[in-house]
PDB file of all heavy atoms in Angstrom:
ATOM      1  N   PHE J 374     -16.657  19.354  13.766  1.00 76.00           N
ATOM      2  CA  PHE J 374     -17.880  20.005  14.256  1.00 76.00           C
ATOM      3  C   PHE J 374     -18.515  19.185  15.386  1.00 76.00           C
ATOM      4  O   PHE J 374     -19.025  19.721  16.350  1.00 76.00           O
ATOM      5  CB  PHE J 374     -18.868  20.146  13.097  1.00 76.00           C
ATOM      6  CG  PHE J 374     -20.080  20.963  13.412  1.00 76.00           C
ATOM      7  CD1 PHE J 374     -19.995  22.343  13.566  1.00 76.00           C
ATOM      8  CD2 PHE J 374     -21.318  20.366  13.582  1.00 76.00           C
ATOM      9  CE1 PHE J 374     -21.108  23.100  13.859  1.00 76.00           C
ATOM     10  CE2 PHE J 374     -22.436  21.100  13.874  1.00 76.00           C
ATOM     11  CZ  PHE J 374     -22.336  22.478  14.027  1.00 76.00           C
ATOM     12  N   VAL J 375     -18.462  17.865  15.266  1.00 84.00           N
ATOM     13  CA  VAL J 375     -19.118  16.973  16.226  1.00 84.00           C
ATOM     14  C   VAL J 375     -18.231  16.668  17.428  1.00 84.00           C
ATOM     15  O   VAL J 375     -18.719  16.538  18.543  1.00 84.00           O
ATOM     16  CB  VAL J 375     -19.546  15.659  15.531  1.00 84.00           C
ATOM     17  CG1 VAL J 375     -20.079  14.650  16.561  1.00 84.00           C
ATOM     18  CG2 VAL J 375     -20.610  15.938  14.474  1.00 84.00           C
ATOM     19  N   GLY J 376     -16.907  16.573  17.202  1.00 86.00           N
ATOM     20  CA  GLY J 376     -15.981  16.127  18.234  1.00 86.00           C
ATOM     21  C   GLY J 376     -16.034  16.889  19.538  1.00 86.00           C
ATOM     22  O   GLY J 376     -16.353  16.292  20.605  1.00 86.00           O
ATOM     23  N   PRO J 377     -15.744  18.203  19.562  1.00 81.00           N
ATOM     24  CA  PRO J 377     -15.730  18.934  20.814  1.00 81.00           C
ATOM     25  C   PRO J 377     -17.065  18.931  21.580  1.00 81.00           C
ATOM     26  O   PRO J 377     -17.077  18.684  22.804  1.00 81.00           O
ATOM     27  CB  PRO J 377     -15.350  20.365  20.403  1.00 81.00           C
ATOM     28  CG  PRO J 377     -14.545  20.153  19.141  1.00 81.00           C
ATOM     29  CD  PRO J 377     -15.206  19.014  18.437  1.00 81.00           C
ATOM     30  N   PRO J 378     -18.243  19.151  20.902  1.00 83.00           N
ATOM     31  CA  PRO J 378     -19.494  19.078  21.666  1.00 83.00           C
ATOM     32  C   PRO J 378     -19.780  17.680  22.216  1.00 83.00           C
ATOM     33  O   PRO J 378     -20.296  17.538  23.315  1.00 83.00           O
ATOM     34  CB  PRO J 378     -20.552  19.487  20.623  1.00 83.00           C
ATOM     35  CG  PRO J 378     -19.837  20.236  19.595  1.00 83.00           C
ATOM     36  CD  PRO J 378     -18.484  19.609  19.519  1.00 83.00           C
ATOM     37  N   LEU J 379     -19.448  16.638  21.437  1.00 88.00           N
ATOM     38  CA  LEU J 379     -19.651  15.290  21.894  1.00 88.00           C
ATOM     39  C   LEU J 379     -18.791  15.008  23.132  1.00 88.00           C
ATOM     40  O   LEU J 379     -19.266  14.420  24.105  1.00 88.00           O
ATOM     41  CB  LEU J 379     -19.325  14.281  20.768  1.00 88.00           C
ATOM     42  CG  LEU J 379     -19.429  12.800  21.147  1.00 88.00           C
ATOM     43  CD1 LEU J 379     -20.869  12.465  21.578  1.00 88.00           C
ATOM     44  CD2 LEU J 379     -19.004  11.936  19.965  1.00 88.00           C
ATOM     45  N   ALA J 380     -17.544  15.436  23.067  1.00 87.00           N
ATOM     46  CA  ALA J 380     -16.652  15.272  24.208  1.00 87.00           C
ATOM     47  C   ALA J 380     -17.181  16.074  25.417  1.00 87.00           C
ATOM     48  O   ALA J 380     -17.133  15.601  26.563  1.00 87.00           O
ATOM     49  CB  ALA J 380     -15.238  15.701  23.867  1.00 87.00           C
ATOM     50  N   GLY J 381     -17.662  17.295  25.125  1.00 84.00           N
ATOM     51  CA  GLY J 381     -18.231  18.105  26.218  1.00 84.00           C
ATOM     52  C   GLY J 381     -19.440  17.469  26.844  1.00 84.00           C
ATOM     53  O   GLY J 381     -19.641  17.511  28.078  1.00 84.00           O
ATOM     54  N   LEU J 382     -20.301  16.830  25.998  1.00 88.00           N
ATOM     55  CA  LEU J 382     -21.468  16.122  26.523  1.00 88.00           C
ATOM     56  C   LEU J 382     -21.071  14.936  27.394  1.00 88.00           C
ATOM     57  O   LEU J 382     -21.637  14.710  28.482  1.00 88.00           O
ATOM     58  CB  LEU J 382     -22.337  15.634  25.344  1.00 88.00           C
ATOM     59  CG  LEU J 382     -23.610  14.852  25.704  1.00 88.00           C
ATOM     60  CD1 LEU J 382     -24.549  15.727  26.522  1.00 88.00           C
ATOM     61  CD2 LEU J 382     -24.288  14.345  24.455  1.00 88.00           C
ATOM     62  N   ILE J 383     -20.042  14.204  26.933  1.00 89.00           N
ATOM     63  CA  ILE J 383     -19.542  13.054  27.725  1.00 89.00           C
ATOM     64  C   ILE J 383     -18.953  13.528  29.044  1.00 89.00           C
ATOM     65  O   ILE J 383     -19.126  12.907  30.096  1.00 89.00           O
ATOM     66  CB  ILE J 383     -18.503  12.267  26.891  1.00 89.00           C
ATOM     67  CG1 ILE J 383     -19.177  11.610  25.676  1.00 89.00           C
ATOM     68  CG2 ILE J 383     -17.805  11.214  27.757  1.00 89.00           C
ATOM     69  CD1 ILE J 383     -18.216  10.933  24.735  1.00 89.00           C
ATOM     70  N   VAL J 384     -18.246  14.670  29.006  1.00 86.00           N
ATOM     71  CA  VAL J 384     -17.683  15.238  30.224  1.00 86.00           C
ATOM     72  C   VAL J 384     -18.779  15.652  31.199  1.00 86.00           C
ATOM     73  O   VAL J 384     -18.690  15.392  32.407  1.00 86.00           O
ATOM     74  CB  VAL J 384     -16.776  16.445  29.883  1.00 86.00           C
ATOM     75  CG1 VAL J 384     -16.439  17.250  31.139  1.00 86.00           C
ATOM     76  CG2 VAL J 384     -15.486  15.981  29.211  1.00 86.00           C
ATOM     77  N   ASP J 385     -19.843  16.291  30.682  1.00 85.00           N
ATOM     78  CA  ASP J 385     -20.955  16.699  31.528  1.00 85.00           C
ATOM     79  C   ASP J 385     -21.638  15.500  32.153  1.00 85.00           C
ATOM     80  O   ASP J 385     -22.037  15.525  33.345  1.00 85.00           O
ATOM     81  CB  ASP J 385     -21.971  17.497  30.733  1.00 85.00           C
ATOM     82  CG  ASP J 385     -21.446  18.904  30.365  1.00 85.00           C
ATOM     83  OD1 ASP J 385     -20.563  19.387  31.093  1.00 85.00           O
ATOM     84  OD2 ASP J 385     -21.879  19.474  29.361  1.00 85.00           O
ATOM     85  N   MET J 386     -21.797  14.418  31.385  1.00 88.00           N
ATOM     86  CA  MET J 386     -22.469  13.207  31.877  1.00 88.00           C
ATOM     87  C   MET J 386     -21.611  12.485  32.915  1.00 88.00           C
ATOM     88  O   MET J 386     -22.132  11.986  33.912  1.00 88.00           O
ATOM     89  CB  MET J 386     -22.791  12.267  30.721  1.00 88.00           C
ATOM     90  CG  MET J 386     -23.845  12.809  29.771  1.00 88.00           C
ATOM     91  SD  MET J 386     -24.090  11.750  28.330  1.00 88.00           S
ATOM     92  CE  MET J 386     -24.643  10.235  29.103  1.00 88.00           C
ATOM     93  N   ALA J 387     -20.315  12.426  32.661  1.00 85.00           N
ATOM     94  CA  ALA J 387     -19.399  11.715  33.579  1.00 85.00           C
ATOM     95  C   ALA J 387     -18.981  12.583  34.760  1.00 85.00           C
ATOM     96  O   ALA J 387     -18.554  12.050  35.788  1.00 85.00           O
ATOM     97  CB  ALA J 387     -18.163  11.227  32.806  1.00 85.00           C
TER      98      ALA J 387
END
Side-chain angles (χ1 to χ4, degrees):
F374 189 73
V375 172
L379 178 60
L382 179 62
I383 294 174
V384 166
D385 289 335
M386 293 174 61

